[in-house]
Amino acid sequence: MAAVKVLADVDTGVDDALALIYVAWAHRTGRAQLLGCGTVAGNCTVEQATANTLRVLELAGLEVPVARGACRPLAGALRTAPEVHGEDGLAGAGVGPLYRKPSPEHAVDQILRLSRQHAGELVLVATGPLTNVAMALVLEPELARRLARLVVMGGGVRDLGNVTAAAEFNFYTDPEAAHVVLESGVPLTLVGLDVTHQVYVEETDLARLQQVDTPQARFARHLLRFGMEAYRRLGGPARFYLHDPLAAAVALDARWVSGRWVSLSVETRGERTRGMCVADWRRQPEAAVPHGPGWAWVALQVEGRRFVGHFMEELARWARGAGADGPAELAGGRDTRDERAAAHG
Ligand code: RIB
Ligand code: CA
């Protein structure tokens, strides 16, 4: 199977970082060709997301352009998510010297350029607010026909909300951008909470990774344990949802999920429902796909434990394999449990 040509648009945060590691490993093992990354404000500021993305790719031993994108949503105010991802967006590991610089190109220009250079082949995977993607579609509407696929982590049609009762974080942060993307007629695959809430990591899932002692393994364990602790502090069980890694996996192989075409719109005005994904189940999908504006192929089922097992296996392989020539330890790369043990004796 030829390597899938991928451009990632991310708000690197903890699960974006894990998704980037997954794609970087697929790149190094010939299943993907990561052509670049674009960053967008969401989990943290776009400056921090850019620095975090550069750090993760450096640790992954991958040199691809990282282009800074939108610093705020199209219309609303930016509200970052330090309660889940840490103040720096990378579980406290987003500090220390940066050896790589972002590309001078804007993320929107990078989307348009790569979509022209790889017309019909490029898979754009967006795991943050859709601000950059919407801006690119407004600048050049024909982008919708040049992309092979747009895979979005966002929304939800039965499992509606995580940041509010009605809305998922990426769609809540920039509902106007989600509306522009949905109305563009781009061949859209939506990997929303309906499936990402079925794929989560708990302490027992780290066993395979526990056996690896490299800076990469320590960094990955740190991210996962930080995320589990964040969800526990927010009142849930100590588990970390692999929202963005599932979207990345679907971008490389759509067979991870099953679903159907759904007529979709996004609420942009509701006082309690802003950012909500509204599915019109009255409309049955016609035979021809991809549908026009207002339609998305929505992932509805996933074999959660099978995916988590696959993801943790790939992460352990990366941690072993990338360790061979990966750079020095990242600041937060120490194993959280070791730190806890050290702190409490
Ligand atoms: O709702 C989860 C999504 O919002 C993930 O992409 C997470 O990184 C945040 O961006
Ligand atoms: Ca994200």
Side-chain angles (χ1 to χ4, degrees):
M1 193 159 122
V4 179
K5 293 185 175 181
V6 177
L7 169 59
D9 196 84
V10 293
D11 61 334
T12 306
V14 173
D15 59 330
D16 303 74
L18 292 163
L20 285 171
I21 288 170
Y22 182 84
V23 175
W25 183 241
H27 178 108
R28 292 185 62 176
T29 50
R31 291 167 292 131
Q33 186 184 358
L34 181 61
L35 296 170
C37 292
T39 60
V40 65
N43 289 325
C44 54
T45 65
V46 69
E47 289 75 18
Q48 192 67 61
T50 305
N52 294 344
T53 302
L54 288 165
R55 279 183 209 290
V56 172
L57 292 175
E58 184 187 351
L59 192 69
L62 203 56
E63 183 103 31
V64 296
V66 175
R68 182 188 290 108
C71 63
R72 49 150 298 173
L74 294 183
L78 173 64
R79 190 186 75 77
T80 57
E83 69 279 6
V84 176
H85 302 273
E87 288 300 331
D88 64 4
L90 201 59
V95 293
L98 254 187
Y99 300 103
R100 295 181 185 176
K101 296 261 182 287
S103 155
E105 190 176 33
H106 192 279
V108 172
D109 295 324
Q110 180 176 250
I111 291 172
L112 296 171
R113 174 177 59 80
L114 288 175
S115 74
R116 283 192 290 269
Q117 287 171 348
H118 305 277
E121 296 180 297
L122 185 66
V123 176
L124 175 55
V125 53
T127 62
L130 290 169
T131 318
N132 293 335
V133 182
M135 287 166 67
L137 285 162
V138 168
L139 272 175
E140 290 187 19
E142 61 276 21
L143 170 66
R145 282 167 293 289
R146 286 202 301 258
L147 287 174
R149 275 188 301 149
L150 169 63
V151 179
V152 167
M153 192 283 131
V157 294
R158 291 180 178 135
D159 187 342
L160 296 179
N162 57 359
V163 70
T164 70
E168 177 279 326
F169 179 84
N170 289 332
F171 275 33
Y172 179 76
T173 301
D174 200 338
E176 284 76 14
H179 170 75
V180 166
V181 170
L182 263 173
E183 290 308 309
S184 71
V186 69
L188 173 57
T189 298
L190 196 69
V191 180
L193 298 179
D194 306 290
V195 286
T196 65
H197 270 163
Q198 309 308 314
V199 294
Y200 52 83
V201 172
E202 295 175 320
E203 184 62 36
T204 50
D205 296 308
L206 270 63
R208 184 68 60 88
L209 193 57
Q210 202 58 50
Q211 297 158 14
V212 187
D213 187 21
T214 61
Q216 288 73 13
R218 287 190 287 276
F219 178 61
R221 287 195 295 267
H222 174 73
L223 289 184
L224 289 165
R225 286 187 172 128
F226 183 97
M228 288 187 262
E229 182 63 14
Y231 276 97
R232 189 195 61 76
R233 272 202 309 272
L234 290 168
R239 60 176 55 159
F240 186 65
Y241 294 98
L242 299 176
H243 299 291
D244 297 343
L246 181 59
V250 170
L252 301 187
D253 185 344
R255 293 171 300 180
W256 280 109
V257 294
S258 60
R260 55 158 279 187
W261 286 96
V262 179
S263 170
L264 271 191
S265 57
V266 182
E267 175 57 62
T268 56
R269 295 200 188 87
E271 186 182 336
R272 291 180 176 76
T273 55
R274 178 169 163 77
M276 178 178 172
C277 243
V278 181
D280 188 345
W281 299 105
R282 299 167 302 170
R283 300 183 68 191
Q284 289 308 314
E286 290 76 16
V289 289
H291 288 280
W295 287 90
W297 191 90
V298 179
L300 295 170
Q301 287 93 22
V302 63
E303 291 176 63
R305 297 314 297 162
R306 189 167 76 85
F307 175 73
V308 172
H310 160 73
F311 179 75
M312 293 308 295
E313 183 55 39
E314 291 302 294
L315 199 57
R317 287 193 180 125
W318 168 77
R320 276 194 295 272
D325 55 6
E329 188 98 27
L330 264 185
R334 291 178 304 285
D335 194 329
T336 312
R337 194 167 49 180
D338 295 351
E339 276 186 325
R340 282 206 298 265
H344 300 299

